Amino acid sequence: MAASVLWQPKEEGIREICGLLEKSISPNSDKSLIWQQLQHYSQFPDFNNYLTFILAHAEGTPVEIRQAAGLLLKNNLRNAFKSMSPSNQQYIKSELLRSLGAADRHIRTTVGTIISVVVQQGGVSGWTELLQALLQCLDSNDLNHMEGAMDALSKICEDIPQELELDVPGVAERPINVFLPRLFKFFQSPHASLRKLSLGSVNQFIMLMPTALLQTMDQYLQGLFVLAHDSTAEVRKLVCAAFVQLIEVRPSVLEPHLGNIIEYMLQANKDTDDEVALEACEFWSAYCEAQFRPESLSSFLPRLIPVLLSNMVYAEDDESLADAEEDESFPDRDQDLKPRFHASRFHGADDAEDDDDDIVNIWNLRKCSAAALDIFSNMFGDGILPTLMPSVQTKLASTDDATWKEREAAVLALGAVAEGCISGLYPHLPE
């Protein structure tokens, strides 16, 4: 803390750097000249202290300039933090902690990003004051402080979650053991921002599956069930993502609740928010790869298959199937019906063919639904056709221009199930 008393900025330096930062965010400025000037300033040992001061204390300065100072500071610290003098390091750390509860949300999020970078450089053990500061903010009743700490913690969990699993000298418990109960508590916060940040933070540990999370899995699952119908779409999306990751990493923890989870994911697959629906749709491929008994899912197929087919109808922000597959219109029985592009972002993406058109490779709800039908056709074979074919035939029978999207979805569905249901499809090919 003494460093913050010893170092004080000069007004002239603040004015010059703020002027340069203002030019840097102007669309008409000479970027190369500004870059040269910034490189000149960066040669001064306390340049990053100035950037820190502008971010933390320049309340009369436009937020955009303060943010620009913070983003430049973040980039500088990635390369220079370890070589800085201990007094300058301490000044930057102490000012970042003071700014966790900054009144402006943009400043708080920038501070959180920089804090994560500092932890990446020196680890949690090199900054034990951070742990105490985060706990004090999380346990306060001030929303700005809670959000600021939660934002910083979420970025640490995203960038370096393994750091929170390590023993820290002088700290009684591993950080994750201290933070997890607080994260679970925020699942029930009246503030959507805290619900989203806390759930997103816990989700970052699913792949690592530390002992602390495994031991509190029942509490985590109960929290997911509470958030399953959250009013905020981003929270619902994170709930779906959690179930998808859990079924990939530790399917046994979901088995006792499988029926309820399948029911929920089926409903989420119809969510009015496309991102929630897409995240839910990923569950079906993950379920099949987890090698659960097919019977657990088969009773849901009469309701699930129509949802998948409905999600395959071309939307305005999707590329047209005809555009995506110019020369792969519905072929005869001697050709492969399976569309080239349908590999999940999680499953089989390494085998996907390259394409010069990036738009064709964008993963979306209709492709994910096609991938689910594909994997169902291989798991259940011709057994899915009594549910699928009536809808497909109805869509194909429409002839007016207004229903071309329905016909396209039917063609896409047939291509998706062709491999697994080829014998059952033969009688229908003349149609």
Side-chain angles (χ1 to χ4, degrees):
M1 300 297 288
S4 62
V5 176
L6 294 175
W7 186 87
Q8 292 293 330
K10 296 179 180 178
E11 284 295 329
E12 182 182 0
I14 295 174
R15 191 165 51 251
E16 289 180 7
I17 294 173
C18 282
L20 197 54
L21 292 171
E22 184 174 13
K23 290 179 182 177
S24 73
I25 61 178
S26 170
N28 301 319
S29 59
D30 185 340
K31 303 297 182 185
S32 60
L33 178 61
I34 293 171
W35 175 251
Q36 291 174 8
Q37 292 172 315
L38 287 173
Q39 289 300 301
H40 169 72
Y41 277 109
S42 66
Q43 296 173 11
F44 293 92
D46 61 351
F47 177 56
N48 289 316
N49 290 23
Y50 273 96
L51 294 177
T52 304
F53 183 89
I54 293 168
L55 171 68
H57 294 292
E59 280 87 358
T61 305
V63 170
E64 294 80 7
I65 294 176
R66 295 174 64 191
Q67 273 190 290
L71 295 175
L72 182 56
L73 175 64
K74 176 200 72 173
N75 293 331
N76 289 349
L77 295 183
R78 287 191 190 280
N79 302 315
F81 184 79
K82 292 179 181 179
S83 60
M84 291 170 59
S85 69
S87 61
N88 286 343
Q89 287 182 349
Q90 185 58 37
Y91 173 78
I92 292 171
K93 286 179 177 180
S94 62
E95 293 300 334
L96 289 173
L97 295 187
R98 286 196 184 96
S99 302
L100 273 170
D104 188 278
R105 180 177 59 86
H106 299 94
I107 300 300
R108 294 198 300 271
T109 56
T110 303
V111 167
T113 301
I114 301 169
I115 285 175
S116 179
V117 169
V118 173
V119 175
Q120 289 177 58
Q121 298 304 307
V124 172
S125 59
W127 195 4
T128 54
E129 302 96 332
L130 171 65
L131 299 178
Q132 190 58 41
L134 291 175
L135 289 175
Q136 287 177 350
C137 289
L138 292 175
D139 292 343
S140 74
N141 291 318
D142 182 276
L143 181 58
N144 288 346
H145 282 82
M146 290 189 290
E147 278 190 353
M150 196 61 255
D151 183 82
L153 182 58
S154 71
K155 286 165 179 168
I156 294 171
C157 292
E158 180 179 358
D159 296 333
I160 37 173
Q162 64 277 8
E163 274 292 321
L164 300 182
E165 292 185 72
L166 301 176
D167 292 316
V168 180
V171 178
E173 291 189 81
R174 290 182 176 181
I176 190 172
N177 296 339
V178 177
F179 285 122
L180 262 184
R182 289 167 170 84
L183 295 177
F184 290 147
K185 182 180 177 182
F186 279 139
F187 283 11
Q188 300 180 50
S189 170
H191 304 287
S193 59
L194 295 178
R195 299 197 302 274
K196 181 185 73 170
L197 289 169
S198 59
L199 177 53
S201 298
V202 179
N203 285 4
Q204 296 297 332
F205 291 97
I206 293 176
M207 293 299 175
L208 295 174
M209 195 53 70
T211 301
L213 181 57
L214 199 55
Q215 290 177 341
T216 55
M217 183 56 65
D218 286 342
Q219 188 177 358
Y220 179 35
L221 292 176
Q222 288 305 313
L224 290 176
F225 297 145
V226 168
L227 294 173
H229 300 286
D230 196 273
S231 58
T232 301
E234 288 177 309
V235 174
R236 300 196 302 275
K237 178 183 173 182
L238 287 169
V239 171
C240 293
F243 284 135
V244 171
Q245 290 181 69
L246 283 169
I247 205 171
E248 290 180 330
V249 174
R250 195 63 65 103
S252 59
V253 304
L254 297 186
E255 197 157 11
H257 313 280
L258 209 49
N260 289 333
I261 292 172
I262 292 173
E263 181 68 52
Y264 170 70
M265 298 304 266
L266 195 160
Q267 298 304 318
N269 214 155
K270 298 185 286 185
D271 198 283
T272 53
D273 185 283
D274 279 352
E275 291 191 14
V276 177
L278 174 58
E279 203 67 57
C281 197
E282 294 287 354
F283 181 81
W284 311 119
S285 296
Y287 176 95
C288 295
E289 293 192 5
Q291 299 182 333
F292 284 124
R293 291 180 294 109
E295 304 80 57
S296 299
L297 186 61
S298 58
S299 63
F300 291 90
L301 292 180
R303 294 160 56 205
L304 176 55
I305 287 175
V307 172
L308 296 176
L309 191 55
S310 175
N311 286 340
M312 289 161 63
V313 175
Y314 169 75
E316 294 304 324
D317 56 349
D318 290 331
E319 85 288 351
S320 167
L321 176 63
D323 293 337
E325 303 212 297
E326 299 174 17
D327 54 359
E328 290 200 346
S329 56
F330 191 64
D332 62 34
R333 70 181 68 192
D334 295 324
Q335 292 179 292
D336 183 9
L337 300 175
K338 187 177 179 182
R340 279 182 314 206
F341 57 68
H342 90 169
S344 165
R345 57 177 173 173
F346 296 131
H347 310 287
D350 292 339
D351 300 324
E353 295 184 29
D354 292 331
D355 199 298
D356 292 335
D357 186 355
D358 289 339
I359 294 177
V360 173
N361 290 326
I362 293 174
W363 189 244
N364 56 29
L365 182 56
R366 61 202 303 256
K367 292 180 182 179
C368 190
S369 299
L373 278 181
D374 176 15
I375 202 165
F376 287 165
S377 72
N378 284 283
M379 174 176 275
F380 298 102
D382 294 343
I384 69 171
L385 293 180
T387 299
L388 177 68
M389 288 309 296
S391 296
V392 166
Q393 289 169 323
T394 299
K395 292 179 185 298
L396 288 176
S398 61
T399 56
D400 57 291
D401 291 343
T403 57
W404 69 268
K405 297 177 183 179
E406 303 286 335
R407 294 195 297 277
E408 184 193 61
V411 173
L412 182 57
L414 288 173
V417 303
E419 183 178 291
C421 304
I422 190 63
S423 60
L425 284 176
Y426 275 147
H428 299 280
L429 287 180
E431 302 173 29

